[in-house]
Amino acid sequence: MHFDIVFAFAWVDLGASQNMIILLGCSARWIGNHGFSIGIDDVQPKEILINKKDETISEGYRECDKHIEAFNKGKLELLAGCDAAQTLETRITGVLNGLRDTAGKVSISFS
């Protein structure tokens, strides 16, 4: 019996998702048996990355807090065609999207 026929029968009997789980388990076992392993140090971020990420996120949250404070005081400069709540939502969304992009760039630069 050919190996591909085994997978064809398993595909019909078990379905795609169950077959992917089985294949993942076999692959992990095979690479482990051949001397390859991933240790916890390989997947843990370095201390400098953690600190830079925390700093970047704190800056973004401070900027969001400034927008919220301006909204609460009625001093938020409105965007064209938006009321205060819509302006606040747009500005905070923009800050958080930028924050996500910046955090991703920081992660890539320290990896």
Side-chain angles (χ1 to χ4, degrees):
M1 183 180 275
H2 293 287
F3 195 64
D4 57 343
I5 294 174
V6 172
F7 274 108
F9 282 122
W11 191 273
V12 171
D13 290 343
L14 301 174
S17 62
Q18 191 64 33
N19 273 290
M20 292 306 295
I21 292 170
I22 292 169
L23 186 59
L24 177 64
C26 293
S27 301
R29 175 69 54 112
W30 186 86
I31 63 174
N33 288 343
H34 288 82
F36 180 81
S37 67
I38 297 175
I40 193 72
D41 291 337
D42 297 328
V43 294
Q44 293 263 333
K46 296 179 178 119
E47 190 68 31
I48 190 168
L49 174 59
I50 293 170
N51 292 337
K52 185 66 175 168
K53 176 199 60 118
D54 290 343
E55 178 184 317
T56 302
I57 290 173
S58 294
E59 286 176 20
Y61 283 176
R62 278 193 296 274
E63 191 173 338
C64 287
D65 288 341
K66 288 178 186 176
H67 290 306
I68 293 169
E69 186 177 331
F71 172 80
N72 288 336
K73 290 181 178 179
K75 296 186 179 193
L76 185 64
E77 187 177 326
L78 300 180
L79 297 173
C82 296
D83 63 13
Q86 292 169 332
T87 298
L88 177 65
E89 179 182 4
T90 302
R91 295 235 169 117
I92 288 179
T93 300
V95 170
L96 294 178
N97 286 342
L99 184 60
R100 182 190 60 230
D101 293 341
T102 303
K105 289 175 186 173
V106 166
S107 296
I108 290 172
S109 70
F110 282 102
S111 59

